[in-house]
Amino acid sequence: ETGVTQTPRHLVMGMTNKKSLKCEQHLGHNAMYWYKQSAKKPLELMFVYNFKEQTENNSVPSRFSPECPNSSHLFLHLHTLQPEDSALYLCASSQASGSAEQYFGPGTRLTVT
Amino acid sequence: KQEVTQIPAALSVPEGENLVLNCSFTDSAIYNLQWFRQDPGKGLTSLLLIQSSQREQTSGRLNASLDKSSGRSTLYIAASQPGDSATYLCAVGANDYKLSFGAGTTVTVRA
C-alpha cells in the first residue's frame, strides 16, 4: 500500500451537486498533484502544489477548485460538473524537487449523472 | 509539448516469456523517467525511476533502460508471471514537477 490515501473511493453525483475529493499523504512530501484519467486517454495533470502554493493549473475549468491547506492534505472541490468529467481522479505526492519520484493514491472513481 | 508514445498498446504472452515494453518521447530535455504499473480501476504503483543522468535501473525481475539522445526507454520484465498482468505506464518528468504520460501498454500473461 502507498502512503497516499484518497477518499471517497467512488462518487456518483448529479450535475448540480457540490462535492469534494480528499487526498492525504503520510510521506513527509512537500509537493502534491491532481491528475485526471479518462477512458482511453493518457493521464492528464490538473494541478500542482509546492509547499502549499499552487504552481500549476493546466487550463482546468473553474468547476474544479483545488485547495491545499498544508503539505499533507489536498482537496478537489467539484461543482456543476458535466458528464464528460466522469473519470478516475488520482492524487500524487513527491519531494519538492524536479527529479523526485511521484507516489500515487488509489484514486476516486467519479461518475457524473 | 512533450509527447510520450508507448508501443505496443497491448501484449499477450505465455507465462515464463520475457516482456519488452517500449516508450518513446519527443523532447530529450528530461529530468527523469518513471515506469508505473496500474491494475484495473486502481491507482499507480511506481516500479522504477531513472534520473536523466542514468542509463538504467534494476529492481528484481525488472530492468529499465534510458537513451535520452534517441528519446527512448525500455522496460524489461524477466520470466513473466500471471501476476504481472496489468497496464504499464511510462511517464517523462520535466524540471517543473510535471509528468507527461504515455497511454500505456496492457499486458496479459497467460498461465
Side-chain angles (χ1 to χ4, degrees), chain B residues 9 16 35 39 45 48 50 53 55 61 64 69 73 78 80 91 94 96 111:
Chain B
W35 282 95
D39 293 290
T45 300
L48 291 168
I50 310 176
S53 59
R55 296 298 300 270
R61 293 184 294 114
S69 60
S73 177
S80 61
D96 55 357

Side-chain angles (χ1 to χ4, degrees), chain A residues 18-35:
Chain A
K18 290 184 180 181
K19 296 286 185 183
S20 296
L21 310 184
K22 179 182 176 182
C23 174
E24 183 173 1
Q25 59 93 4
H26 312 274
L27 301 170
H29 291 164
N30 292 302
M32 297 187 76
Y33 315 76
W34 280 117
Y35 289 87

Side-chain angles (χ1 to χ4, degrees), chain A residues 9 33 35 37 42-43 45 48 50 56 88 90 96-102 104-106 109, chain B residues 31-32 34 36 38 41-44 46 48-49 51 89 94-99 101-103:
Chain A
R9 296 294 306 277
Y33 315 76
Y35 289 87
Q37 187 176 35
L43 269 80
L45 178 66
V48 180
N50 188 27
E56 179 72 24
L88 181 67
L90 293 161
S97 162
S99 62
E101 187 171 5
Q102 290 191 21
F104 282 74
R109 172 67 63 185
Chain B
Y31 248 53
N32 59 29
Q34 202 166 346
F36 294 90
Q38 186 175 29
K42 301 290 181 62
L44 276 64
S46 179
L48 291 168
L49 170 71
Q51 302 292 356
L89 298 167
N95 62 350
D96 55 357
Y97 311 100
K98 294 183 188 179
L99 283 179
F101 280 84

